[in-house]
Amino acid sequence: MSPTPSPTSSTTPEPLPEAAGAADAASGTGSTEPTGNGPAINPATGIAPAGQPLTHLGGSAEYLEQLDGVESGSESAGEAGSGAGRRVLRRRALNHEEYHALVQDRMWDLDALEAAGGARLAPGDGLVVALDVDGTILDMDGCVSERVMASIARLRAHKVPVVISTGRGIAAAMPVVRHLGLSTGWMVCANGALTLRLDPDAPGGYEVVDSRTFDPRTAIETLHAAVPDGIIAVEDPGVGFKVSRLFPDGELIEDQRVVTFDELVSQPVTRVVLRAPGMSVERFSEIVADSGLHSVEYAIGWTAWLDVAPEGVTKASALEALAARLGADPARTLAVGDGSNDVEMIEWAGAGVVMGSAPPWVRDRGDILTEPVWRDGCAAVLDALIERVRHP
């Protein structure tokens, strides 16, 4: 599959193949009802976990152990395969002493950052905290640890604005903020294309205060020419995605509706997604880089997955606008994330914190490196902020 880097070419790519249901939708003879084949919702939290396998969480091997078997009473969180030699997914929460030491380490990191000329970051000093969701506060089972829940609640008690900043769309993000108990405040969705004011009295519990869109035609034609077998999707905020064909089961959190090419490009959108099932992320990255995609922002996920946003729109751009709205100083902002779509946010914040499960090149862009989500790395940073009230 060779790339076709010709976004300005006068040749129009072959139309996207119409999956079962799309042709009927175009003719008016078939069902256009959304289809939900995303990951199962965690019944304990009401949250659908990210549609990425556990094995792709930052490429970390720490989450997997190769065992000859599973002893009864083990701390296994799930299994891959069966019989002798199967891989067992394990996690072990830090005990009290280990977690206390981790918080102390993060306090020293914040002290060092301040000593190097950074702003003092502590509740009561105009602090704003921006948090990624998947792989940062939410693990791959759709769970938020008790320590994360408690640290966010403590920040809120100190009147610190906690802004959820996620690549998720509205429909997939709202269950997260509800579970966290955030009925008021602010949230950034779709990698910065949407900014929401949380309001329990508003329809759905939110109001969209900023929406950044773009004409998707050029991006879609360019991506289809580069990856003809790929799945193309455009976001329908608050509803789900319109797709060229259904994503593999368990991958797309929101509902999806198969539509024709003409409908995909018919109106401005907040986001375009390209998915190439079965392609390695290395090969996918090469093709995307050579495709000639321009005048947009894009981020590649753990798999052959591409998010395309309007030019200049990132989590950082949304947070910059929100900080101006709130009269906040970006230098007094702390942001935590783990993915390529978090890099701009991490670099923009006064203190950029990277989760330990992040790929090396993302870790290199932050000011502070903390532990992975299953070791409560984010909670430790938040508790370190709170502890600075008692230890000025």
Side-chain angles (χ1 to χ4, degrees):
M1 195 180 303
S2 59
T4 308
S6 55
T8 58
S9 168
S10 60
T11 302
T12 301
E14 289 297 315
L16 288 167
E18 293 182 334
D24 289 342
S27 64
T29 61
S31 171
T32 60
E33 289 298 312
T35 298
N37 70 343
I41 293 175
N42 186 312
T45 63
I47 301 171
Q52 304 260 358
L54 285 164
T55 53
H56 288 95
L57 184 59
S60 174
E62 184 178 357
Y63 212 55
L64 292 173
E65 290 184 13
Q66 189 78 25
L67 301 181
D68 293 332
V70 183
E71 297 178 2
S72 61
S74 70
E75 296 172 333
S76 171
E79 299 179 16
S82 60
R86 64 182 175 270
R87 291 187 301 173
V88 177
L89 306 176
R90 285 183 176 272
R91 67 166 73 96
R92 183 184 68 80
L94 300 180
N95 61 36
H96 177 76
E97 290 75 17
E98 290 170 328
Y99 182 70
H100 178 72
L102 184 59
V103 173
Q104 290 293 320
D105 286 346
R106 298 294 81 84
M107 289 179 66
W108 292 332
D109 288 336
L110 292 169
D111 289 343
L113 198 58
E114 182 179 348
R120 176 165 180 80
L121 300 179
D125 293 325
L127 176 67
V128 175
V129 171
L131 303 177
D132 171 50
V133 171
D134 296 293
T136 299
I137 62 172
L138 188 73
D139 72 13
M140 290 298 138
D141 294 328
C143 294
V144 181
S145 76
E146 292 183 4
R147 284 172 177 150
V148 169
M149 294 285 289
S151 61
I152 291 176
R154 292 175 71 193
L155 282 176
R156 297 271 290 178
H158 281 280
K159 309 300 182 184
V160 175
V162 176
V163 182
I164 299 303
S165 184
T166 179
R168 290 180 176 231
I170 297 173
M174 284 303 296
V176 177
V177 297
R178 292 191 187 107
H179 181 66
L180 294 171
L182 304 179
S183 59
T184 60
W186 303 88
M187 179 164 65
V188 170
C189 291
N191 289 323
L194 295 166
T195 299
L196 280 58
R197 181 180 65 85
L198 301 175
D199 181 354
D201 296 325
Y206 65 89
E207 173 193 7
V208 177
V209 298
D210 194 8
S211 175
R212 304 299 175 95
T213 61
F214 69 113
D215 183 344
R217 180 179 290 274
T218 298
I220 288 175
E221 290 178 348
T222 300
L223 294 173
H224 176 50
V227 189
D229 295 331
I231 305 171
I232 303 285
V234 297
E235 188 166 15
D236 191 0
V239 178
F241 282 85
K242 298 174 184 177
V243 300
S244 60
R245 70 176 192 272
L246 295 180
F247 278 60
D249 286 350
E251 284 203 351
L252 194 62
I253 298 173
E254 295 89 348
D255 285 343
Q256 49 191 309
R257 181 166 62 91
V258 177
V259 301
T260 63
F261 175 83
D262 287 341
E263 188 167 352
L264 284 175
V265 302
S266 64
Q267 58 189 7
V269 300
T270 54
R271 173 166 50 176
V272 172
V273 175
L274 170 66
R275 176 73 171 102
M279 185 181 294
S280 72
V281 69
E282 293 78 15
R283 177 60 180 148
F284 183 75
S285 299
E286 291 174 0
I287 291 175
V288 169
D290 292 340
S291 69
L293 191 66
H294 68 294
S295 297
V296 292
E297 301 290 341
Y298 67 86
I300 295 175
W302 301 120
T303 58
W305 179 300
L306 178 75
D307 274 329
V308 180
E311 184 177 16
V313 172
T314 64
K315 291 183 180 183
S317 68
L319 290 169
E320 177 81 32
L322 181 57
R325 178 189 289 266
L326 299 176
D329 182 357
R332 298 188 182 280
T333 299
L334 180 138
V336 191
D338 74 318
S340 61
N341 61 333
D342 295 315
V343 168
E344 293 86 358
M345 174 180 76
I346 289 166
E347 293 184 328
W348 168 83
V353 182
V354 182
M355 301 295 290
S357 55
W361 74 272
V362 175
R363 294 183 220 175
D364 293 341
R365 311 291 276 274
D367 302 302
I368 296 172
L369 179 65
T370 192
E371 290 289 312
V373 63
W374 57 90
R375 292 187 181 274
D376 282 321
C378 180
V381 174
L382 304 187
D383 281 337
L385 287 171
I386 297 165
E387 286 298 308
R388 298 188 98 208
V389 173
R390 299 196 302 171
H391 303 279

